[in-house]
């Protein structure tokens, strides 16, 4: 058993391991090439998060999906570069919206320079992703365009909040389906499509990516509360501090409303208050870490990962399918 890539996937087959490692190395080269500009400062800003590393979860999924066709088809690695460039671009924009100071263990672009540079660099990365995508065919362009619309719509839905009468948890799941699930679904979909897999297999990876994408984001939400900065690569409690009601907070709100517990109500008041003071944030994190609401969010993560695993049933047995199943376990492990 070998751990492959920054995400830490366990691969038990030597040939598959070699393919994935070679593919990830080619993706890194593609990312550096795509983020290079004739203007040195633009190169520095665009490669800031590339050099910081990252889990490379989306390219990994693209490469695994390609195993169900021709994994060495010419469009596979460029499609993995496209999805990672798109993801990186969203991080530059997210950090501006969240006023984040740290990303992937290094100063965020907005903290390192300013908001204008971060936004414009994100735009530059989107343009480079589009340029790479343009060589992959009209169907790939349409798939990416649809996902980008969903991604932006998810961000808007998060910003405006639930509709009147909408369950906040249903709204939240709708948000992360757009913000995270859409691009992860495209990662698998493009990998299978550009490897020449049949339509049923492409559809399977679309469903799998959507579900494991949801589990992936739920695990990130748990990490935002439960981990330290060395593990998560960003400042713990970032979402809490910015008033983003992630699943654990929504569960706490429900429990506080239903039980009427004084302790639950006090914790909810703290969590939903001003957490820009470091001591108050630390108190809120400690309260949530010990609360049933976080345990429920972990169970929800496990459930979503199991749903992703179930979608793999139509795929032929083999090392690649086993790796995709192990990927579900890896996502859950991140959430503890």
């Amino acid at each position: 058993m070998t751990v492959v890539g920054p995400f830490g996937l366990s691969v038990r087959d030597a040939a598959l391991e070699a393919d994935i490692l070679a593919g990830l190395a080619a993706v890194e080269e593609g990312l550096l090439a795509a983020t290079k500009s004739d203007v040195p400062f633009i190169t520095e800003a665009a490669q800031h998060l590339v050099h910081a590393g990252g889990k490379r979860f989306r390219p990994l999924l693209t490469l695994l999906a390609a195993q169900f066709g021709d994994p060495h088809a010419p469009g596979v690695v460029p499609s993995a570069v496209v999805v990672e460039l798109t993801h990186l671009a969203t991080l530059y924009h997210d950090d501006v919206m969240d006023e984040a100071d740290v990303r992937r263990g290094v100063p965020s672009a907005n903290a390192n320079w300013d908001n204008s540079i971060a936004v414009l660099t994100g735009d530059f990365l989107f343009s480079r992703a589009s340029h790479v995508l343009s060589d992959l065919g009209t169907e790939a362009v349409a798939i990416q365009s649809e996902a980008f619309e969903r991604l932006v719509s998810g961000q808007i839905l998060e910003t405006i909040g639930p509709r009147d009468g909408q369950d906040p948890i249903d709204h939240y799941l709708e948000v992360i389906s757009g913000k995270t699930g859409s691009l992860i679904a495209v990662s698998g979909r493009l990998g299978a499509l550009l490897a020449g897999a049949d339509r049923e297999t492409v559809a399977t990876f679309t469903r799998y990516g959507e579900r494991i994408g949801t589990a992936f984001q739920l695990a990130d939400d748990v990490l935002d509360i439960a981990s330290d900065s060395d593990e998560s690569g960003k400042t713990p409690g970032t979402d809490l501090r910015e008033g983003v009601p992630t699943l654990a907070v929504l569960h706490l709100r429900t429990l506080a409303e239903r039980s009427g517990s004084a302790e639950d109500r006090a914790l909810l008041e703290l969590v939903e208050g001003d957490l820009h003071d470091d001591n108050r944030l630390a108190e809120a994190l400690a309260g949530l870490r010990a609360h049933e609401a976080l345990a429920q969010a972990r169970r929800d993560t496990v459930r979503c990962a199991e749903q992703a695993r179930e979608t793999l049933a139509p795929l032929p047995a083999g090392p690649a399918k086993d790796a995709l199943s192990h990927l579900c376990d890896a996502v859950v492990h991140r959430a503890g």
Side-chain angles (χ1 to χ4, degrees):
M1 181 177 70
T2 304
V3 175
V4 171
F7 188 75
L9 173 67
S10 297
V11 174
R12 304 167 188 269
D13 180 84
L16 177 61
E17 174 194 340
D19 256 4
I20 298 302
L21 286 173
L24 287 171
V27 169
E28 290 303 309
E29 291 179 5
L31 289 172
L32 290 174
T35 51
K36 188 174 182 180
S37 167
D38 292 337
V39 180
F41 177 79
I42 296 177
T43 301
E44 179 187 359
Q47 292 185 351
H48 180 65
L49 290 184
V50 176
H51 288 309
K55 295 175 282 292
R56 302 294 190 257
F57 181 78
R58 293 155 188 81
L60 176 61
L61 180 53
T62 302
L63 297 174
L64 286 171
Q67 293 292 320
F68 294 85
D70 175 7
H72 306 119
V76 171
V77 168
S79 67
V81 171
V82 165
V83 293
E84 188 66 8
L85 281 174
T86 304
H87 172 57
L88 288 170
T90 66
L91 297 184
Y92 281 80
H93 288 181
D94 281 351
D95 286 344
V96 171
M97 295 182 68
D98 297 341
E99 299 179 359
D101 294 323
V102 177
R103 171 68 70 173
R104 295 182 172 178
V106 300
S108 61
N110 48 299
N112 208 38
W113 294 288
D114 58 33
N115 284 349
S116 295
I117 293 297
V119 170
L120 291 169
T121 303
D123 293 344
F124 175 79
L125 293 175
F126 281 130
S127 72
R128 286 302 177 91
S130 298
H131 180 73
V132 177
L133 184 66
S134 67
D135 291 330
L136 301 181
T138 56
E139 185 173 6
V141 171
I143 288 170
Q144 174 76 352
S145 298
E146 177 186 332
F148 190 56
E149 178 184 344
R150 289 188 57 207
L151 193 158
V152 174
S153 296
Q155 183 64 68
I156 292 172
L157 287 174
E158 180 180 78
T159 303
I160 65 176
R163 300 182 296 275
D164 288 343
Q166 184 181 22
D167 181 88
I169 291 179
D170 289 343
H171 170 263
Y172 181 67
L173 294 175
E174 183 182 4
V175 165
I176 63 174
S177 177
K179 282 187 61 178
T180 304
S182 61
L183 188 58
I184 292 179
V186 164
S187 303
R189 188 177 179 184
L190 287 181
L193 176 70
L194 292 167
D198 60 66
R199 289 290 169 178
E200 181 180 352
T201 299
V202 174
T204 294
F205 274 102
T206 304
R207 293 190 294 270
Y208 174 80
E210 190 83 31
R211 287 166 175 75
I212 202 168
T214 298
F216 185 87
Q217 184 58 56
L218 293 181
D220 258 11
D221 292 348
V222 171
L223 280 172
D224 185 63
I225 296 169
S227 73
D228 57 34
S229 58
D230 291 336
E231 182 180 359
S232 65
K234 63 180 184 179
T235 305
T238 297
D239 291 332
L240 280 181
R241 176 165 271 167
E242 297 307 317
V244 178
T246 55
L247 195 58
V249 174
L250 295 174
H251 281 312
L252 171 63
R253 187 182 298 164
T254 299
L255 289 168
E257 291 172 353
R258 289 179 179 173
S259 71
S261 160
E263 291 81 3
D264 286 353
R265 291 197 302 272
L267 178 58
L268 181 63
E269 183 178 354
L270 173 65
V271 165
E272 293 187 334
D274 185 350
L275 295 178
H276 286 87
D277 177 80
D278 288 344
N279 291 329
R280 287 178 61 83
L281 178 62
E283 183 183 352
L285 287 170
L288 281 170
R289 287 168 181 169
H291 200 277
E292 167 63 19
L294 184 61
Q296 180 61 56
R298 285 194 171 101
R299 291 193 292 272
D300 292 334
T301 304
V302 171
R303 175 178 51 80
C304 288
E306 286 304 314
Q307 290 173 348
R309 198 193 317 269
E310 289 167 5
T311 67
L312 297 172
L315 298 179
K321 183 175 181 178
D322 291 342
L324 289 163
S325 181
H326 292 317
L327 199 59
C328 298
D329 297 325
V331 166
V332 169
H333 177 72
R334 295 173 63 241

